[in-house]
Amino acid sequence: MHPNALLELCAELVDSLLLFDKPADALVSDFFRAHKALGQRERHTLAETAYAVLRKRPLLQHLAQSGRGPMARRLAILAWAGNEAFLRGALKEEELQWLKQVEKVDRSKLPEKLRHNLPDWLVDPLRQRLGDEQFWQLADAVNESAPLDLRVNLLKAKREDVQAALKAKGFESAPTPYSPWGLRLDGKPALQKLDVFTSGQVEVQDEGSQLLSLLTEAKRGEMVVDFCAGAGGKTLALGASMRNTGRLYAFDVSGHRLDKLKPRLARSGLSNVYPVQISNERDDRIKRLAGKIDRVLVDAPCSGLGTLRRNPDLKWRQTPQGVQELHDKQLAILNSASRLLKPGGRLVYATCSLLDAENEAVAREFADAHPDFTLLPAQDVLVHAQVETGQAAELSEGGFLRLWPHRHRSDGFFAAVWERNK
């Protein structure tokens, strides 16, 4: 493809993303479906450039003011994530001169909001929580792209064997530092056609998400519920922990999301999973299981702000009002899910949010209203689940699991673990 044609496509994609009327990943998928002739490298350049615009939108819009031509084209030039020489082949002489000028700007001297690239309403709570130094570390971390984490399906393979199989195909990986099931690869390699993937030996799953399944500690022969299963990444991890025995219910209000679980389930070799579409958290099918379940994982609907490395559009699409509505919904779901547990059963509440409002505040409100549940310190649970004592301490804050992109190189996750009193 001619360099200018690819740059124009980039500008078109950036334009559609900046409307913020749909999740960025869905818009990128739609765009690629409409442009089937694009090769792997072109798709990579398009997606990474567009995501770079979303990550640093305030900075790039500020720098773009000095240029000429359509704004989306200027943004795509500034955020270009493909081959440099290829880009230069697409630029007019005046654009090349402008780019040279922009490259001389000392970004460290710019106002704070052009350096952290976060909305004002998000800055204050994060700064209060982390202090100045760590706030800037977090801002830098969430403006980078994430590595690719895989979870090895221990029903089908050992971690070191999968690592060797990936290496044989030219993909270098390293064991995840905390999860005993994970492998981490840099960049965004396409693995879907590899044997380890098609045979169900691995699934794409962030290390933080793996640790939520680890905290649940689902055992052989138990009755377990993944309350907000979505596309089922944690469901599959729980099923493998149960060694494909017992019964594992995957609840979700979205049939569309549960449909995405089916091919993954087929690859995984699990036969103990029962996907169930529910109408809401008070569905009759939930009531019928009340008091019968050993373990419930509630990975609640949340702002997703812990996943900004992967979903940078969320910081521009979320609002403080939206977070408050989520807080109320999270509490309602948690209250409903807690009724499923038998005495001695375990409840895990989790989000992929960075905000106290969706995390500690929900956990505290639930605990105040449920004296029949006892908080289990996350650190102790992780040690019991075979995480080294020092590492378990690194992952815990105030009795909860707390993962931060700048500290742990995972997405931002929170989890609280309770046991129903016997």
Side-chain angles (χ1 to χ4, degrees):
M1 181 179 281
H2 188 275
N4 193 53
L6 188 61
L7 180 58
E8 284 300 311
L9 276 180
C10 251
E12 191 185 323
L13 179 56
V14 164
D15 237 352
S16 69
L17 289 180
L18 291 180
L19 295 172
F20 299 114
D21 55 357
K22 257 174 97 173
D25 56 353
L27 283 168
V28 171
S29 296
D30 293 347
F31 191 84
F32 288 162
R33 263 198 298 279
H35 297 86
K36 287 198 169 69
L38 289 166
Q40 191 65 43
R41 191 174 293 170
E42 290 159 341
R43 283 166 188 253
H44 183 268
T45 298
L46 282 163
E48 290 302 305
T49 301
Y51 271 71
V53 172
L54 293 174
R55 283 194 183 96
K56 300 195 172 171
R57 181 176 68 131
L59 170 68
L60 298 180
Q61 284 179 332
H62 170 78
L63 295 173
Q65 296 304 324
S66 59
R68 285 194 180 153
M71 177 55 97
R73 180 179 169 97
R74 281 179 267 162
L75 293 172
I77 292 168
L78 292 172
W80 186 258
N83 180 293
E84 275 301 312
F86 194 82
L87 172 66
R88 293 187 187 281
L91 300 183
K92 303 170 193 140
E93 185 55 40
E94 64 182 49
E95 288 175 322
L96 282 166
Q97 293 310 316
W98 166 68
L99 192 55
K100 258 188 211 150
Q101 290 306 116
V102 171
E103 282 164 359
K104 288 180 190 160
V105 172
D106 183 352
R107 297 184 183 198
S108 68
K109 299 273 192 337
L110 292 171
E112 280 196 349
K113 68 180 193 187
L114 302 181
R115 287 186 285 128
H116 59 58
N117 291 287
L118 294 167
D120 294 340
W121 68 269
L122 199 49
V123 172
D124 293 338
L126 290 175
R127 236 182 180 144
Q128 264 174 325
R129 172 70 195 241
L130 292 167
D132 226 38
E133 187 182 345
Q134 286 215 37
F135 165 75
W136 284 104
Q137 289 172 11
L138 174 68
D140 289 343
V142 297
N143 283 322
E144 296 296 321
S145 67
L148 179 72
D149 288 357
L150 304 176
R151 178 185 57 80
V152 177
N153 178 0
L154 297 185
L155 286 178
K156 291 195 163 191
K158 291 192 171 82
R159 179 156 71 167
E160 55 271 25
D161 294 343
V162 171
Q163 195 180 3
L166 286 169
K167 188 169 179 148
K169 295 287 183 188
F171 298 104
E172 290 292 337
S173 64
T176 43
Y178 305 105
S179 166
W181 307 328
L183 288 171
R184 177 164 291 160
L185 292 88
D186 279 324
K188 300 242 170 24
L191 306 177
Q192 289 85 341
K193 296 193 173 79
L194 291 187
D195 184 51
V196 288
F197 186 83
T198 55
S199 65
Q201 293 175 52
V202 296
E203 274 291 335
V204 173
Q205 188 180 21
D206 182 77
E207 181 180 27
S209 184
Q210 295 177 35
L211 291 171
L212 303 184
S213 305
L214 203 69
L215 279 175
T216 310
E217 280 196 287
K219 300 272 195 300
R220 284 174 181 273
E222 288 185 330
M223 296 260 282
V224 179
V225 170
D226 186 352
F227 203 83
C228 308
K234 283 170 284 294
T235 310
L236 299 174
L238 292 170
S241 292
M242 295 162 75
R243 310 303 296 172
N244 204 16
T245 63
R247 282 176 90 80
L248 172 54
Y249 294 97
F251 289 159
D252 204 272
V253 291
S254 165
H256 176 64
R257 281 198 293 264
L258 287 174
D259 285 343
K260 289 186 175 170
L261 167 59
K262 286 173 186 159
R264 301 174 81 183
L265 206 48
R267 280 199 306 271
S268 72
L270 293 173
S271 54
N272 63 338
V273 178
Y274 299 83
V276 182
Q277 186 179 354
I278 55 174
S279 52
N280 55 43
E281 72 270 12
R282 299 174 304 283
D283 195 292
D284 281 345
R285 277 165 289 200
I286 297 168
K287 288 177 187 160
R288 286 202 287 273
L289 291 171
K292 295 178 180 170
I293 303 296
D294 295 289
R295 295 168 198 266
V296 177
L297 170 59
V298 180
D299 181 17
C302 71
S303 63
L305 293 165
T307 68
L308 289 179
R309 300 178 309 164
R310 301 172 201 283
N311 304 300
D313 56 313
L314 288 176
K315 61 186 172 183
W316 311 121
R317 292 174 59 231
Q318 285 295 1
T319 63
Q321 298 80 357
V323 170
Q324 182 54 52
E325 285 164 22
L326 283 164
H327 170 95
D328 300 341
K329 188 178 188 179
Q330 287 152 352
L331 203 52
I333 289 171
L334 187 52
N335 285 329
S336 183
S338 69
R339 296 183 193 120
L340 290 167
L341 287 148
K342 57 168 72 161
R346 178 177 296 182
L347 175 63
V348 179
Y349 169 73
T351 76
C352 52
S353 173
L354 301 169
L355 297 175
D356 292 18
E358 298 181 83
N359 297 334
E360 289 86 352
V362 173
R364 276 196 297 273
E365 280 185 59
F366 174 80
D368 290 346
H370 293 83
D372 55 329
F373 279 82
T374 300
L375 186 74
L376 303 178
Q379 187 170 341
D380 298 350
V381 178
L382 286 166
V383 170
H384 192 258
Q386 258 73 71
V387 175
E388 287 173 26
T389 308
Q391 288 191 315
E394 280 175 38
L395 300 170
S396 307
E397 278 178 51
F400 304 118
L401 176 86
R402 244 321 188 154
L403 299 178
W404 296 93
H406 65 293
R407 283 187 203 158
H408 305 107
R409 283 200 73 210
S410 72
D411 285 344
F413 276 99
F414 169 87
V417 187
W418 293 276
E419 186 176 282
R420 184 167 214 160
N421 299 343
K422 290 178 177 135

